[in-house]
Amino acid sequence: MKLIVGLGNPGKEYLKTWHNIGFLALDNIANAFKFENFKKEKKFQAEIATGEIKKQKAILAKPQTFMNNSGLAIGALTKYYKIKPTDIIIIHDDIDLPFGRIKIVGDSSAGGHNGVKSIIQHLKTQDFIRIRIGISTPKKEKIGSADYVLTKIGLLQSSKIKEIIKKTTSAVEEVVGVSPESAMNKYN
């Protein structure tokens, strides 16, 4: 079983912010592979949906703990479902990558991302797959990283976001259906 996690913050005020690009990606994955609807699961502190990708059972999870405590939800899910870290895919924003670029990495440090730091802390390993979605635009330099990630995605970027999310969905399919290495060669 695979656990595919999109990182973000709960609440309408964060809905279309850069920091919630992981949630947007999961919505597209759920739709593309006809997963059940997301349901809030208090015991996991997450919204989850189940289904299959390339004949592999998968759980999609949106932690509802706020970004910096994402590890709480991931820890609870992995323990309950007995999921190995190597069967986890984390999708998140990356302020250090240019807008539109995705990068797939495995067994890598958090790189300053607090949500990923929390996951590493709770799993006691960094040996999982991450799909980093670049969100850096010139506006980041004007307002600073901390404020930038919580701003709404602009109209100019909205149409390109759809393309990036589709690319991310294809990358997840490649990771699950073929291998992480194949996905890295194809999308990095």
Side-chain angles (χ1 to χ4, degrees):
M1 179 179 293
K2 301 290 184 188
L3 175 60
I4 304 164
V5 179
L7 298 186
N9 286 314
K12 289 184 179 181
E13 65 270 32
Y14 300 108
L15 196 58
K16 294 193 178 183
T17 62
W18 291 109
H19 230 11
N20 275 32
I21 205 159
F23 283 8
L24 296 174
L26 278 199
D27 289 339
N28 192 71
I29 292 164
N31 186 48
F33 295 101
K34 298 178 179 27
F35 274 61
E36 64 181 26
N37 291 330
F38 282 93
K39 293 179 186 137
K40 284 189 179 182
E41 292 285 347
K42 284 186 181 181
K43 66 182 170 190
F44 303 128
Q45 299 181 68
E47 290 183 2
I48 66 167
T50 57
E52 287 188 359
I53 298 174
K54 293 292 188 181
K55 298 184 181 177
Q56 287 225 26
K57 287 184 181 182
I59 298 169
L60 303 181
K62 297 178 188 177
Q64 299 296 294
T65 55
F66 286 93
M67 182 67 76
N68 294 355
N69 292 314
S70 297
L72 291 169
I74 308 315
L77 282 159
T78 56
K79 188 180 272 186
Y80 183 84
Y81 288 104
K82 297 175 177 47
I83 297 171
K84 298 179 292 192
T86 53
D87 286 327
I88 300 171
I89 302 167
I90 307 292
I91 303 169
H92 65 87
D93 62 294
D94 193 314
I95 194 113
D96 295 324
L97 284 177
F99 175 60
R101 181 158 178 241
I102 70 169
K103 187 168 184 182
I104 303 163
V105 295
D107 200 7
S108 179
S109 74
H113 194 287
N114 290 329
V116 177
K117 280 182 192 174
S118 175
I119 294 167
I120 291 170
Q121 179 185 357
H122 281 83
L123 295 180
K124 295 178 180 31
T125 184
Q126 59 188 30
D127 192 13
F128 48 85
I129 299 299
R130 292 171 40 211
I131 300 178
R132 300 165 43 203
I133 301 174
I135 64 165
S136 185
T137 69
K139 186 176 181 181
K140 175 189 99 170
E141 301 308 320
K142 292 177 186 167
I143 65 172
S145 298
D147 290 329
Y148 177 74
V149 296
L150 296 176
T151 60
K152 299 278 185 198
I153 297 167
L155 287 175
L156 290 174
Q157 292 90 16
S158 288
S159 60
K160 188 160 183 174
I161 286 287
K162 291 176 184 164
E163 178 186 315
I164 296 161
I165 297 299
K166 284 182 184 176
K167 187 177 178 183
T168 301
T169 299
S170 296
V172 167
E173 184 177 20
E174 185 80 12
V175 169
V176 173
V178 183
S179 73
E181 294 74 23
S182 175
M184 289 174 196
N185 288 334
K186 193 170 184 177
Y187 293 97
N188 286 359

